[in-house]
Amino acid sequence: MEPLSAWLERQYRHSAQAMLRSVSATSITQVRAGFGQRMTPKPGSVVASPVPGAYDPNPDYFFHWFRDSALVIDALRLLYLDGDPGSEALRAHFTDFVHFSLELESLDGGRLLRAPGWRQQFAANYLQFVRDDSELAAVHGERVAADTRVNPDGSLDVSRWARPQHDGPPLRALCVLRWLRDAGRDDASTEAAQVLLGHDLAFTLRHWAEPCFDIWEEELGLHYYTLRLSAAALDLGSRWLEHRGDPLARDCAAAAGAALAQLDSYWNESNGYLRSRQLSESRASPKELDISVLLAAVHAGGEGAHAANDPRMLATLGKLEALFDADYAINRGRPKGLGTAMGRYRGDVYFSGGAYFFSTLGAAELCYRAAKHASDPRELLARGDAFLETVRKFTPSNGDMSEQFDQHDGAPRSAPQLAWSYAALISSVAAREAVIRRSA
């Protein structure tokens, strides 16, 4: 079998090209006949999957999710730093993303409702999927950023969905902060990025402690992932604000410390893992042991408490490995050198309810990020490589990555060409290379 490094080099290039199909996908049109919509993306938008679907059987992921888009644009930054031949085009995508994001702030659900006969565009059997007037009327100003997703043509998503979600603004703030740090320039595009960053930090400062829906858009409560991203954005953002002499820096720093301290209460001492959520109803959730905790550490970055090298995070990884080893047929009797195929949580019923590429890649990246701070990184490096070997095993020979691979037979499932899957491959390879360079 070819060395893992050779496969990764090829898959990295393929993932970069495939992910770019989701960015500013202006040549693709999605028709939602039941909603009376014909969607052509604007420059700067990011569709979660560029393959139009209507749950036939592929899901309709032709939306600009605030969370997914930030992860994809951050992966473009890694390609930019890697000296991609199209580096200037990558930076142009970031600029377009910033402007598209700022344009979304002018959306107003009330204005939509005032359009004559606007509900008449929907087929009668689709009206049950359309948001209530009262809900749409409340979407304006900063509420847009909590609206989970928009259409890639820059219009409001009028379909019923899990809202509000508060992880999008802090994740986008982290993405913009990293771009400004690594590729900032003194020009109009940088000024626009700073405006967007200021808005996202202000949103996060106001709403970090409020209940919202989780990363999987299923349960309302307080969620480890959202809190961890908020703490990271407010911490890094406070330093950026302080450098600019903005008095809001002190408030952001204080909120970051409060959010990070609150995360300590998510440690389940008796079971030895970090809980993913605290529900508003004060009840336990079967989804407490959830891959989103690991993804929080990966997406937030940093080191120390609640980062990849936190012993509690590595303990949570071990518990998740044991869970999916027991639950997934594809994990049983696997040969030495293959890591656990990772899902989201026990009892997942979405499509195959099975292994996700970004979950398994997130576990690999967590190991690499922890290894970067270890006195001897070899064990963690090998552990991360085992997860990547599993990704290699279940990636089709053409390199295309869906959202899931089936827990029973490993076949691609759910959305094809998922941009987040490609972004996770790119970021895990970048984390791996950082460890290897450090160890050389």
Side-chain angles (χ1 to χ4, degrees):
M1 180 184 294
E2 85 176 314
L4 176 63
S5 57
W7 178 80
L8 285 176
E9 182 178 353
R10 187 171 65 255
Q11 185 63 32
Y12 181 89
R13 292 195 303 268
H14 178 84
S15 295
Q17 294 170 355
M19 186 178 71
L20 280 168
R21 298 186 196 120
S22 286
V23 181
S24 300
T26 56
S27 63
I28 306 172
T29 297
Q30 162 77 310
V31 177
R32 298 191 181 108
F35 285 97
Q37 296 175 339
R38 185 178 180 86
M39 295 292 166
T40 301
K42 281 186 175 181
S45 65
V46 179
V47 291
S49 167
V51 181
Y55 294 90
D56 54 356
N58 295 333
D60 182 359
Y61 278 15
F62 208 73
F63 292 94
H64 176 97
W65 263 273
F66 295 126
R67 175 181 50 253
D68 295 43
S69 62
L71 293 170
V72 168
I73 297 300
D74 197 51
L76 290 186
R77 175 185 61 89
L78 297 174
L79 296 176
Y80 180 91
L81 292 175
D82 199 28
D84 186 278
S87 289
E88 286 309 305
L90 297 177
R91 198 178 189 287
H93 281 314
F94 169 68
T95 299
D96 288 341
F97 168 75
V98 166
H99 288 295
F100 178 79
S101 300
L102 287 171
E103 288 173 7
L104 296 177
E105 296 181 357
S106 65
L107 290 173
D108 186 339
R111 186 169 60 243
L112 177 68
L113 294 174
R114 290 190 292 273
W118 84 279
R119 281 190 180 269
Q120 295 175 10
Q121 66 184 304
F122 307 118
N125 60 333
Y126 272 74
L127 286 171
Q128 62 183 311
F129 304 118
V130 179
R131 301 166 75 174
D132 294 338
D133 286 2
S134 59
E135 181 187 345
L136 280 169
V139 183
H140 55 83
E142 71 168 16
R143 287 287 295 272
V144 174
D147 216 43
T148 305
R149 65 186 192 184
V150 295
N151 291 315
D153 66 354
S155 62
L156 281 176
D157 171 26
V158 299
S159 61
R160 295 180 183 272
W161 206 251
R163 301 177 177 94
Q165 290 181 43
H166 295 160
D167 56 4
L171 196 53
R172 189 167 62 188
L174 287 169
C175 168
V176 173
L177 279 164
R178 291 162 182 163
W179 266 97
L180 291 175
R181 178 195 66 198
D182 296 338
R185 295 176 182 173
D186 187 15
D187 58 16
S189 65
T190 296
E191 292 178 10
Q194 292 172 340
V195 171
L196 178 62
L197 175 56
H199 293 177
D200 283 341
L201 289 175
F203 177 97
T204 304
L205 181 61
R206 281 191 290 269
H207 300 290
W208 70 268
E210 297 175 2
C212 64
F213 278 90
D214 63 311
I215 181 176
W216 312 131
E217 305 172 346
E218 294 171 346
E219 291 186 329
L220 182 68
L222 295 173
H223 302 285
Y224 186 97
Y225 182 86
T226 306
L227 279 171
R228 183 66 189 95
L229 269 293
S230 296
L234 291 168
D235 178 44
L236 290 178
S238 69
R239 300 179 213 176
W240 176 75
L241 290 167
E242 185 177 21
H243 180 73
R244 293 165 60 86
D246 192 320
L248 197 62
R250 183 177 300 175
D251 293 338
C252 286
L260 201 62
Q262 187 169 322
L263 288 171
D264 286 336
S265 68
Y266 284 69
W267 173 245
N268 186 324
E269 181 70 39
S270 59
N271 292 320
Y273 62 76
L274 286 160
R275 296 179 294 154
S276 66
R277 63 200 69 212
Q278 295 180 3
L279 300 184
S280 301
E281 299 86 353
S282 299
R283 60 180 174 84
S285 168
K287 303 172 185 177
E288 280 191 354
L289 183 56
D290 186 317
I291 198 74
S292 63
V293 171
L294 306 189
L295 296 179
V298 168
H299 297 161
E303 60 180 296
H306 300 286
N309 62 322
D310 187 329
R312 295 171 296 182
M313 194 64 64
L314 294 171
T316 304
L317 170 60
K319 294 293 184 179
L320 283 162
E321 286 177 295
L323 186 160
F324 295 119
D325 277 340
D327 284 5
Y328 289 176
I330 55 174
N331 283 328
R332 295 174 198 142
R334 66 178 185 273
K336 184 179 180 180
L338 284 185
T340 304
M342 305 287 273
R344 298 192 300 178
Y345 49 77
R346 172 161 284 160
D348 193 352
V349 296
Y350 187 66
F351 280 80
S352 80
Y356 281 68
F357 280 105
F358 60 65
S359 294
T360 310
L361 288 162
E365 185 169 348
L366 184 91
C367 291
Y368 298 138
R369 286 179 173 271
K372 191 176 178 181
H373 303 287
S375 56
D376 185 352
R378 288 175 294 182
E379 181 178 347
L380 284 165
L381 180 61
R383 194 174 179 183
D385 282 357
F387 285 117
L388 290 190
E389 287 287 8
T390 296
V391 171
R392 168 160 62 160
K393 176 178 174 60
F394 294 108
T395 299
S397 58
N398 63 4
D400 290 349
M401 302 175 82
S402 56
E403 184 173 42
Q404 295 183 20
F405 49 104
D406 193 282
Q407 61 168 294
H408 301 288
D409 59 17
R413 291 288 183 267
S414 191
Q417 303 283 343
L418 190 76
W420 186 352
S421 295
Y422 295 125
L425 186 286
I426 290 166
S427 62
S428 64
V429 170
R432 182 178 188 268
E433 289 301 314
V435 176
I436 292 173
R437 286 194 302 270
R438 177 178 175 272
S439 304

